[in-house]
Amino acid sequence: MNSTVFRQPTAHLVSLATAVPTFGLAQDDVARRAGELFAPMVTDFNRLTPIYRNAEIEQRHSCVPIDWYSEPHSFGDRNDLFLSNATDLLAEAGEKALSAAGIAAREIDTVVTICSTGIATPSLDARLIGRLGLRNDVQRLPIFGLGCAGGVLGLSRAAAMAKARPQSTVLLLAVELCGLTFRAQDRSKSNIVATALFGDGAAAAVISSRSRHADKPMLGAGGEHTWPGSLDVMGWDVGDDGLKVIFSGNIPDLVRHDLRPVVDRFYADHGLLPEEIAGYICHPGGAKVLDALEECFGLQRGTMRHARDVLREHGNMSSVTVLFVLAAAIADDARGRHLLTALGPGFTAALQVIDL
């Protein structure tokens, strides 16, 4: 009797590209401007000024010049800027990723778009069909609300969709314009901390289950965990003038004490051993979060150098940041099985294995 062996489809990362907007923000300039803006209306602002130094960020990128942040802006004005700049950045990153993969836009079967910093209906992917030259029958999955976890979860969703349609190719797009959410009249600590932390950026990746890409990095098991009773840890409030950042100061403690059991359970569920992991590619979040991640995984302080480099040069770009870290690791010729991690609203841990 003849038997046929059916091989489980695999998904591979064919290419990964990044893009940043035009305007650079030096941290020293941001700290000075923040002092001019907040010191007259926040009585204990001087107590908060060390956050600019302790963030371990030297520069970031913005889709608007620094003077823009000193003025009030309506939600409509902010979102108009979001639509224009997000589309431009995604087009740049998408074209780079397609070129690096050596494929034409018409070979893309599915587009997964990740963003949490603006509203787009029609969605950003729809706005890019003609601009990138995608097919009119391309399948689209726009995802909103994953926040900082979106880069890892986006890879997982794109890989799942590539495997669900064997011999197909998925374009993953991620863009965040965090700076547009800053509110000049908001005296909250979260808003002030955001000025020391967040930046703008975009990334694009080509992910394929086509056999001709089998020599590229393979995306293995993915997973996520949402802690109960944690909706207030991270997210947005919506005000008349736009999105207002929410994040808890105890995120490093949550990482330090609660993440490792989740990761160990993920390993067990997928038949993985911790010693099989050659390295960790993590969303940096902030300097204290990176310290906590290194402690969580039993690493020496400073081990996550790619994450620290990205944080220093670009700040926290929400979902996009971990894709910059992955790009840096690949450029540095990292090899072996790695675990990608990110934390986002929910409060949720996102996990994804990649074999480089």
Side-chain angles (χ1 to χ4, degrees):
M1 178 181 293
N2 292 330
S3 62
T4 302
V5 176
F6 293 96
R7 183 172 297 174
Q8 181 75 19
T10 55
H12 297 265
L13 179 65
V14 184
S15 66
L16 175 60
T18 62
V20 294
T22 303
F23 298 101
L25 300 179
Q27 187 77 326
D28 289 344
D29 290 340
V30 173
R32 178 175 55 81
R33 289 296 190 104
E36 295 171 357
L37 180 63
F38 288 117
M41 62 180 185
V42 179
T43 55
D44 60 345
F45 179 75
N46 288 337
R47 184 178 59 84
L48 297 174
T49 54
I51 63 175
Y52 296 96
R53 180 181 65 256
N54 296 338
E56 298 182 13
I57 294 169
E58 293 180 2
Q59 66 174 359
R60 287 163 280 162
H61 293 85
S62 171
C63 68
V64 291
I66 195 168
D67 289 342
W68 181 90
Y69 295 98
S70 299
E71 302 294 333
H73 302 280
S74 70
F75 201 165
D77 289 342
R78 296 170 190 272
N79 212 65
D80 286 345
L81 286 168
F82 165 79
L83 289 173
S84 174
N85 287 277
T87 303
D88 287 346
L89 279 176
L90 284 182
E92 179 183 346
E95 288 168 354
K96 287 180 180 178
L98 290 168
S99 176
I103 68 171
R106 294 189 62 81
E107 295 182 65
I108 297 297
D109 302 295
T110 306
V111 181
V112 177
T113 309
I114 304 294
C115 185
S116 295
T117 49
I119 297 172
T121 306
S123 56
L124 294 171
D125 38 61
R127 297 165 191 268
L128 288 164
I129 288 177
R131 186 158 175 179
L132 290 178
L134 301 167
R135 298 198 314 267
N136 292 333
D137 66 345
V138 68
Q139 294 189 357
R140 299 183 292 115
L141 178 63
I143 304 177
F144 177 86
L146 296 177
C148 294
V152 173
L153 292 178
L155 283 171
S156 296
R157 300 295 185 268
M161 296 188 78
K163 290 188 284 188
R165 298 177 65 192
Q167 302 301 312
S168 70
T169 302
V170 179
L171 178 63
L172 172 65
L173 301 171
V175 62
E176 305 288 4
L177 304 181
C178 304
L180 292 179
T181 68
F182 171 71
R183 300 141 69 96
Q185 303 305 313
D186 183 353
R187 305 180 186 186
S188 69
K189 182 178 178 180
S190 291
N191 186 56
I192 295 172
V193 171
T195 68
L197 189 60
F198 289 113
D200 299 346
V206 173
I207 296 155
S208 180
S209 58
R210 293 181 181 177
S211 53
R212 65 187 170 104
H213 298 305
D215 61 333
K216 299 295 184 178
M218 186 179 74
L219 291 160
E224 60 195 280
H225 175 87
T226 299
W227 284 276
S230 61
L231 294 178
D232 59 348
V233 172
M234 185 184 296
W236 297 122
D237 274 338
V238 179
D240 292 339
D241 59 347
L243 303 173
K244 176 181 178 180
V245 67
I246 301 170
F247 55 83
S248 169
N250 68 343
I251 292 175
D253 288 336
L254 290 171
V255 171
R256 192 172 285 109
H257 302 299
D258 298 336
L259 180 59
R260 189 55 193 253
V262 170
V263 172
D264 288 341
R265 187 160 57 252
F266 171 78
Y267 288 157
D269 288 345
H270 295 282
L272 300 168
L273 297 173
E275 53 265 32
E276 296 175 357
I277 303 300
Y280 298 89
I281 297 172
C282 299
H283 184 295
K288 291 182 178 179
V289 173
L290 273 175
D291 293 344
L293 283 165
E294 289 171 341
E295 185 176 335
C296 168
F297 293 121
L299 305 174
Q300 289 186 344
R301 181 71 59 86
T303 299
M304 293 183 175
R305 59 185 180 85
H306 296 120
R308 292 186 182 276
D309 288 347
V310 168
L311 183 67
R312 184 178 65 253
E313 296 168 8
H314 300 283
N316 183 338
M317 300 170 286
S318 189
S319 68
V320 177
T321 321
V322 73
L323 300 177
F324 273 62
V325 180
L326 176 58
I330 292 173
D332 199 29
D333 205 29
R335 288 289 183 268
R337 178 164 292 172
H338 286 65
L339 180 68
L340 284 82
T341 76
L343 299 163
F347 181 61
T348 297
L351 308 169
Q352 174 65 52
V353 174
I354 185 169
D355 291 330
L356 298 175

